[in-house]
Amino acid sequence: MEEVTYNGLTFKPYITRERIQERIREIGREITKEYKGRKPLLLCVLNGAFPFASELFLNVDTDAEIAFIRLKSYEGTSSSGVVKEVMGLTDNVSGRPVIVVEDIVDTGKTIQRLVERLRQENPSEIRIATLLFKPESLRTDINPDYVGFSIPPKFIIGFGLDLDGLARNLKDIYVLKEQAD
Ligand code: IMP
Ligand code: MG
């Protein structure tokens, strides 16, 4: 794996596709066990979570459904703190166990706002699955139920995570070089 550059910023390899896939398989197995017979609705938070949601969904080996919601809060390499709901909920979640599938929980504001919004729709349960978690950046009392990788507060891209819309199609995860060590 080589360094990559986007918008003049250089990134170094951080988490390989193999490690990502293996970790997602493990989470898939956990969800399969815990939700057997309950038909969970995986709610993919667009755009960033779609590769994770897709891989996770394929690794849930019991009846499950998928739906989508689109949110946006980031500009550049730091959280704007303002969460905009760009696209509403595509499905009815009333009375159903929902697993919110996120790419990353940073300050936690995005997911907190989404959970508040979801509660109004009366799901029977809300859990959170996130591929990445930056516990040191957390500014809310959000506590994700399924975490792929807990990482320090560094800016990363790839496997769905973007820099101003770019780099989502990198197969591995990369970290901003100046924050690498
Ligand atoms: P939060 O509201 O601060 O938790 O931010 C969550 C959202 O910010 C995520 O859904 C991502 O879209 C974005 N984000 C947070 N950290 C990163 C990062 O390191 N790289 C790319 N996007 C990030
Ligand atoms: Mg996101």
Side-chain angles (χ1 to χ4, degrees), residues 43-60:
L43 184 60
C44 169
V45 184
L46 295 171
N47 294 339
F50 94 90
F52 173 43
S54 145
E55 196 103 15
L56 182 61
F57 191 53
L58 293 176
N59 280 285
V60 173

Side-chain angles (χ1 to χ4, degrees), residues 74 79 102-104 106-110 134 155-156 162:
Y74 245 61
S79 188
E102 251 293 24
D103 51 358
I104 187 161
D106 184 28
T107 64
K109 286 178 186 167
T110 305
K134 298 181 187 170
F155 186 75
I156 56 170
D162 72 308

Side-chain angles (χ1 to χ4, degrees), residues 16-30:
T16 63
R17 173 132 178 83
E18 290 67 36
R19 278 185 69 205
I20 298 168
Q21 279 181 322
E22 181 47 42
R23 188 68 193 110
I24 296 176
R25 275 196 289 269
E26 286 170 8
I27 298 174
R29 281 195 288 269
E30 260 181 77

Side-chain angles (χ1 to χ4, degrees), residues 67-113:
F68 300 87
I69 190 166
R70 181 156 182 210
L71 304 170
K72 197 169 186 282
S73 73
Y74 245 61
E75 264 158 39
T77 58
S78 66
S79 188
S80 68
V82 186
V83 181
K84 292 176 270 185
E85 185 175 320
V86 183
M87 185 181 93
L89 206 51
T90 55
D91 285 59
N92 181 12
V93 303
S94 173
R96 309 195 50 188
V98 173
I99 304 174
V100 176
V101 182
E102 251 293 24
D103 51 358
I104 187 161
V105 175
D106 184 28
T107 64
K109 286 178 186 167
T110 305
I111 203 84
Q112 188 182 49
R113 160 97 196 267

Side-chain angles (χ1 to χ4, degrees), residues 134-162:
K134 298 181 187 170
E136 291 165 52
S137 303
L138 203 61
R139 299 285 175 272
T140 56
D141 53 11
I142 285 296
N143 189 13
D145 302 276
Y146 306 98
V147 174
F149 302 92
S150 282
I151 62 167
K154 297 179 177 188
F155 186 75
I156 56 170
I157 55 169
F159 203 78
L161 291 145
D162 72 308

